[in-house]
């Protein structure tokens, strides 16, 4: 459930447009845009719209739409971390500072605020997010079903252990730390290339593992979210894995069976990341070549 603010510049003689550079500097934000699988492409924007986040405490991301010279919309998903809530209100305050004269509207409730009134609801909004967190845990059956949550850097499948820890918490601190820890990683989050097999018209989900690259991969090749249709994403009939030798800037010829690949890496140091993904350690060229000899290969 989003919480969206529309901040509109007032006054016939007010010419200023929002300076995103000042926002990034004053609020200590970085930015990016989502690709087709809700994985953030850092440092990119689309028509002055992007996802803002604070690298010191990464949450679920703040959507910023600045493609209208006289108006800005910012939106935050709930539940999110207490730190990101504070960042969101700081962002609203910074936009108002730049405009000087403005109107503030909560889009979902069609409710207007003064800046003082808006800042005054922050504590209540933090409590609302905690209540939303507990409702989400209850809806997931306390972790019996994974709670799939989009976040700043990539989606997270919240498992039973995480749910239990969040349910026992008395505030948003455990949730805030979980979101940051799961995303503050120098790692590659694997996403598929979806291709249609011309021979039998089946759909292939093709992933790539790169040499010397810590990586997060789904255990099931269909565990991804499609941004174009998140409620009814394309489902692949077969999963395949390719390998890229970074030191030689070349792919290995051929593709290998994905399910056999997952079994193989689980025997070679992979660990659980969340309810649907594993963290695969770095493999050098020799390790990858040894692995390919153990996996069913396809031409």
């Amino acid at each position: 459930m989003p919480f969206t603010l529309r901040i509109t510049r007032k006054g016939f003689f007010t010419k200023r447009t929002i300076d995103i550079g000042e926002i990034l500097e004053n609020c200590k934000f970085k930015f990016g845009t989502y690709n087709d699988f809700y994985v953030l492409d850092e440092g990119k924007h689309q028509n002055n719209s992007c996802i803002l986040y604070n690298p010191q405490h990464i949450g679920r991301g703040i959507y910023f739409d600045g493609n209208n010279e006289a108006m800005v919309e910012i939106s935050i998903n709930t539940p999110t971390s207490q730190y990101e809530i504070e960042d969101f209100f700081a962002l609203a305050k910074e936009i108002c500072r730049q405009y000087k004269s403005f109107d503030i509207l909560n889009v979902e409730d069609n409710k207007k605020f003064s800046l003082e009134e808006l800042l005054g609801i922050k504590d209540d909004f933090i409590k609302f997010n905690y209540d939303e967190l507990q409702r989400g845990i209850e809806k997931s059956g306390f972790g019996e079903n994974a709670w799939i949550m989009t976040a700043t850097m990539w989606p997270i499948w919240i498992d039973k252990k995480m749910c239990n820890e969040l349910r026992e918490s008395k505030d948003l601190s455990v949730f805030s730390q979980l979101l940051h820890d799961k995303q503050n990683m120098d790692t590659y989050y694997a996403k598929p290339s979806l291709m249609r097999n011309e021979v039998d018209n089946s759909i292939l989900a093709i992933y790539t593992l790169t040499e010397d690259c810590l990586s997060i991969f789904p255990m099931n090749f269909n565990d991804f979210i499609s941004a174009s249709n998140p409620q009814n994403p394309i489902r692949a009939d077969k999963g395949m894995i390719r390998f890229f030798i970074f030191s030689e800037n070349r792919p290995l010829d051929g593709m290998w069976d994905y399910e056999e690949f997952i079994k193989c890496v689980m025997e070679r140091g992979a660990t659980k990341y969340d309810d649907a993904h594993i963290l695969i350690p770095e493999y050098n060229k020799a390790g990858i070549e040894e692995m390919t000899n153990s996996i069913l290969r396809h031409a």
Side-chain angles (χ1 to χ4, degrees):
M1 177 180 176
F3 179 79
T4 305
L5 295 177
R6 180 179 297 151
I7 305 176
T8 305
R9 184 184 66 201
K10 288 173 59 178
F12 293 108
F13 303 105
T14 306
K15 298 294 186 180
R16 178 163 185 164
T17 59
I18 292 300
D19 188 325
I20 186 64
E22 284 188 30
I23 287 177
L24 297 176
E25 180 177 355
N26 293 340
C27 296
K28 311 303 180 186
F29 287 151
K30 291 189 176 182
F31 68 97
T33 59
Y34 288 132
N35 62 25
D36 291 339
F37 301 99
Y38 286 108
V39 178
L40 193 75
D41 288 332
E42 297 181 64
K44 295 183 179 180
H45 67 87
Q46 295 178 338
N47 299 321
N48 293 319
S49 297
C50 61
I51 302 298
L52 299 173
Y53 70 98
N54 190 323
Q56 298 303 313
H57 36 254
I58 307 172
R60 299 189 62 191
I62 300 170
Y63 177 69
F64 174 89
D65 182 355
N67 62 23
N68 187 314
E69 290 187 358
M71 180 185 72
V72 169
E73 281 195 0
I74 58 175
S75 183
I76 192 170
N77 285 314
T78 60
T80 190
S81 74
Q82 180 168 338
Y83 297 119
E84 190 162 78
I85 293 169
E86 293 169 352
D87 284 336
F88 181 79
F89 281 83
L91 171 61
K93 187 176 180 180
E94 169 65 16
I95 293 169
C96 292
R97 182 194 69 80
Q98 290 194 28
Y99 273 159
K100 293 185 173 60
S101 181
F102 50 83
D103 285 322
I104 304 173
L105 177 72
N106 171 228
V107 174
E108 286 77 18
D109 293 335
N110 196 34
K111 182 178 179 179
K112 290 185 177 181
F113 291 95
S114 68
L115 179 59
E116 183 179 3
E117 289 170 337
L118 177 68
L119 298 178
I121 70 167
K122 183 173 69 172
D123 289 343
D124 288 339
F125 190 61
I126 290 172
K127 183 180 184 303
F128 171 79
N129 271 261
Y130 175 78
D131 293 340
E132 282 287 282
L133 175 65
Q134 297 303 320
R135 280 189 285 268
I137 294 168
E138 184 175 358
K139 188 176 180 180
S140 74
F142 300 109
E144 295 303 326
N145 303 300
W147 183 5
I148 304 174
M149 179 178 290
T150 56
T152 297
M153 308 305 291
W154 46 66
I156 301 171
W157 271 245
I158 296 179
D159 62 22
K160 186 172 184 176
K161 180 177 181 294
M162 297 177 198
C163 275
N164 286 337
E165 292 173 351
L166 295 173
R167 180 163 58 94
E168 293 171 2
S169 65
K170 303 302 182 184
D171 53 32
L172 290 172
S173 59
V174 175
F175 183 49
S176 301
Q177 194 64 50
L178 183 149
L179 287 174
H180 181 72
D181 289 348
K182 287 294 179 183
Q183 298 178 90
N184 186 36
M185 305 174 69
D186 185 14
T187 185
Y188 167 71
Y189 190 95
K191 47 195 179 294
S193 296
L194 300 175
M195 300 179 63
R196 190 171 294 279
N197 189 331
E198 296 179 356
V199 176
D200 58 9
N201 209 37
S202 62
I203 297 176
L204 301 178
I206 304 172
Y207 291 83
T208 301
L209 180 71
T210 299
E211 174 194 23
D212 293 330
C213 182
L214 185 69
S215 304
I216 299 168
F217 272 72
M219 289 178 280
N220 184 313
F221 56 81
N222 270 322
D223 276 338
F224 59 83
I225 305 176
S226 172
S228 59
N229 191 356
Q231 301 302 322
N232 187 27
I234 295 172
R235 309 322 279 165
D237 300 295
K238 180 71 175 176
M240 309 295 295
I241 185 74
R242 296 184 293 203
F243 298 95
F244 188 84
I245 307 302
F246 183 80
S247 59
E248 299 176 2
N249 194 30
R250 67 176 181 88
L252 292 182
D253 291 334
M255 295 188 291
W256 286 258
D257 182 82
Y258 191 84
E259 293 175 348
E260 292 297 319
F261 160 71
I262 293 298
K263 293 177 184 177
C264 187
V265 295
M266 290 300 292
E267 297 171 353
R268 291 166 170 78
T271 56
K272 183 176 181 179
Y273 172 78
D274 63 15
D275 197 61
H277 296 78
I278 54 177
L279 184 64
I280 299 179
E282 300 176 10
Y283 297 116
N284 59 22
K285 178 184 175 183
I288 287 178
E289 290 177 337
E290 185 273 331
M291 191 188 313
T292 60
N293 292 328
S294 304
I295 308 173
L296 178 62
R297 178 171 176 161
H298 293 253

